[in-house]
Amino acid sequence: MQLHRERGRIEAAGARLVFVGNGNRHFAAAFRDELRLDEPIYVDTGREAYAALGMKRGVASTLLAPGTWKAGVRAMRGGFRQKRVQGDAWQLGGVLVVRTGGEVAFRHLSASAGDHPPVSDVLAALNA
């Protein structure tokens, strides 16, 4: 998994990786166990943070978006398989780099499921 390969570079930049999910704490625990994560995982069951950040939600942005199907094929070729959906299946996420004090140094809001920014862009924001 790319996350595990890049974790050291993220930490070397003085950053801490944190996950926020839209499910519940039981889903978060399963996510942590499945991906063997040590990082903090928070849950936003009401999706308030997602809404405040303007993250997309809905069938058109998830299931019907062409990018979703491309990402699905890419994931399957990489050996990943969709398992049981946990949380809000229609909620998209994103990646933020937030500096101490709250300044957002990088923001990527997913346009479709599987739309992730290049790790190089995230690292560049961390090192800027």
Side-chain angles (χ1 to χ4, degrees):
M1 170 192 238
Q2 189 169 2
L3 164 66
H4 294 294
R5 290 193 304 265
E6 301 298 346
R7 177 184 285 139
R9 292 174 66 190
I10 292 168
E11 291 172 353
R16 182 173 78 155
L17 188 59
V18 175
F19 295 89
V20 178
N22 66 47
N24 63 42
R25 62 187 175 91
H26 301 293
F27 296 158
F31 180 74
R32 176 189 318 273
D33 293 345
E34 181 179 336
L35 297 180
R36 298 182 306 276
L37 299 173
D38 295 325
E39 292 80 12
I41 301 173
Y42 298 95
V43 293
D44 178 13
T45 55
R47 299 183 330 276
E48 289 90 359
Y50 291 83
L53 291 166
M55 294 181 171
K56 292 183 178 184
R57 181 182 181 280
V59 175
S61 300
T62 53
L63 188 60
L64 301 178
T68 297
W69 297 99
K70 289 179 187 177
V73 169
R74 183 177 65 237
M76 287 184 5
R77 286 184 178 156
F80 298 99
R81 298 293 180 265
Q82 174 71 44
K83 295 182 182 171
R84 192 182 90 173
V85 174
Q86 298 179 344
D88 185 341
W90 308 122
Q91 180 64 61
L92 293 177
V95 174
L96 287 113
V97 172
V98 181
R99 299 199 184 287
T100 302
E103 173 198 355
V104 177
F106 178 84
R107 174 181 166 136
H108 173 89
L109 302 182
S110 298
S112 62
D115 174 27
H116 309 296
V119 174
S120 59
D121 290 356
V122 177
L123 291 170
L126 291 173
N127 292 310

